[in-house]
Amino acid sequence: MTLEPERLGQSRSDLAEAMRTLRKRAGKTQTWLARRCNMSQTKISNIESGKLTPAIVDVELILAALEAGGPTADALLALTRTANTEWQDHWSSRRRGLDKKQNELARLEAASTEFRYFLLSMITGLLATPEYVRASIADVSGDQSKIVAKKLERQSILRDSSKSFTFLLTEQAVRWPLLPPLGMAMQLDWLASISRIPNVKLGVIPLDGHIPERPLNTFTVYDRRLATVETGTGALILRDHRDVEAYREDFARYEAYALFGDDLRQALSDWSTLFTRQRQ
């Protein structure tokens, strides 16, 4: 399937029309279909009007109830997967204001319980010192103080014991010198402190040894319902359960190569010392 960002919004209305047409051609009412699929009639109506984007499992149930298979089913399932994908480009986010993006992330974090962060090239704002946060948005025009404040405010969620966080960083992400040496040393010391929070599991994948994996992107998985994948120009928001599970499986593989606990803190201390020596 070719992914065209400009088609993602249109795919939702296309799916709604296709689902409505399929039911009518089968000569069935919304009430009949809802009963066969163990859904409410309101849900069926919202799917067919485009007010609700159905999950893959919803469409599979509807296809089975209407005895639709072959190319028709394949096309509808492909359309459903596209409809469950959202593209957020960096330019649009910056035009709206990155402080608003922080509000969106805060709402998503409030609604989620289990978080998995794979950080390929940088330290995420949830783990960053104020200096690192400021450096990470240095190229953003306008007043940056509101963005910095909101990023730091979001860090309080790490203390919410009802939620669990697992952060996997590559050694490259940890040691990339975004700040001068002393600032980087302080950032690494801060990571060591965060690693002691009971509901936070922080690991670093070292660059020595043999790692037969080839990660391509930074990504985050929220529970089992949503994954975000960052690219150089934006982020994909994936809601298809197959996509989410694929990233959970990737995360589990990468986790096997990471240092945790005392081993992690020793590595962070060693790298922090190297940064401190650079300053001398």
Side-chain angles (χ1 to χ4, degrees):
M1 178 182 67
T2 300
L3 181 62
E4 301 177 27
E6 65 274 12
R7 286 285 301 157
L8 295 180
Q10 182 63 38
S11 67
R12 297 183 181 92
S13 58
D14 290 346
L15 177 61
E17 182 179 352
M19 297 301 291
R20 183 171 60 252
T21 300
L22 182 68
R23 175 186 59 78
K24 289 183 175 180
R25 285 179 178 172
K28 304 300 181 182
T29 65
Q30 289 184 349
T31 301
W32 179 92
L33 184 58
R35 187 166 53 248
R36 287 296 298 267
C37 296
N38 195 28
M39 299 178 188
S40 68
Q41 186 273 331
T42 300
K43 182 173 182 177
I44 295 294
S45 176
N46 286 340
I47 288 173
E48 293 187 357
S49 65
K51 295 179 180 177
L52 174 68
T53 302
I56 287 284
V57 65
D58 295 328
V59 175
E60 288 173 339
L61 286 171
I62 291 171
L63 291 172
L66 297 176
E67 298 182 350
T72 297
D74 291 342
L76 278 172
L77 289 171
L79 190 58
T80 304
R81 191 168 193 180
T82 304
N84 277 277
T85 302
E86 178 184 346
W87 169 253
Q88 294 182 348
D89 67 84
H90 290 330
W91 297 280
S92 295
S93 294
R94 292 190 176 193
R95 281 196 300 270
R96 289 190 303 112
L98 290 185
D99 58 316
K100 294 181 176 62
K101 176 66 174 178
Q102 296 307 306
N103 292 336
E104 293 174 3
L105 289 172
R107 288 193 293 271
L108 180 56
E109 289 159 358
S112 305
T113 301
E114 188 180 63
F115 306 81
R116 290 169 170 81
Y117 296 82
F118 180 76
L119 304 166
L120 183 63
S121 57
M122 278 186 63
I123 297 168
T124 183
L126 288 178
L127 304 177
T129 63
E131 292 77 12
Y132 195 99
V133 170
R134 279 190 286 271
S136 70
I137 60 169
D139 62 336
V140 177
S141 60
D143 182 10
Q144 300 175 356
S145 58
K146 188 181 296 186
I147 303 170
V148 172
K150 288 186 177 294
K151 277 180 172 283
L152 296 177
E153 181 182 322
R154 284 177 47 225
Q155 293 180 357
S156 63
I157 200 169
L158 297 178
R159 307 285 178 174
D160 186 342
S161 60
S162 69
K163 301 178 185 292
S164 65
F165 300 84
T166 305
F167 296 92
L168 288 182
L169 300 90
T170 64
E171 180 179 336
Q172 171 181 303
V174 171
R175 299 181 64 183
W176 188 266
L178 188 66
L179 295 172
L182 182 57
M184 287 304 302
M186 294 173 65
Q187 173 62 73
L188 269 58
D189 293 343
W190 180 239
L191 289 178
S193 298
I194 292 176
S195 73
R196 297 184 183 277
I197 300 175
N199 57 312
V200 173
K201 184 178 181 183
L202 195 151
V204 173
I205 302 173
L207 291 177
D208 54 4
H210 176 224
I211 305 178
E213 304 288 349
R214 49 194 185 282
L216 299 175
N217 299 93
T218 287
F219 64 86
T220 305
V221 182
Y222 299 86
D223 298 323
R224 289 183 177 272
R225 62 192 178 87
L226 186 148
T228 64
V229 183
E230 296 185 25
T231 74
T233 56
L236 282 171
I237 316 299
L238 306 171
R239 296 180 177 84
D240 186 310
H241 70 91
R242 293 174 297 181
D243 293 325
V244 176
E245 285 304 311
Y247 277 100
R248 284 175 64 97
E249 291 169 6
D250 285 348
F251 192 92
R253 289 201 309 275
Y254 302 146
E255 193 172 2
Y257 299 101
L259 301 175
F260 294 97
D262 290 339
D263 291 336
L264 161 74
R265 286 185 282 272
Q266 183 59 59
L268 291 173
S269 177
D270 292 343
W271 298 331
S272 176
T273 298
L274 289 175
F275 277 120
T276 302
R277 289 174 179 170
Q278 289 179 32
R279 180 175 177 267
Q280 295 173 352

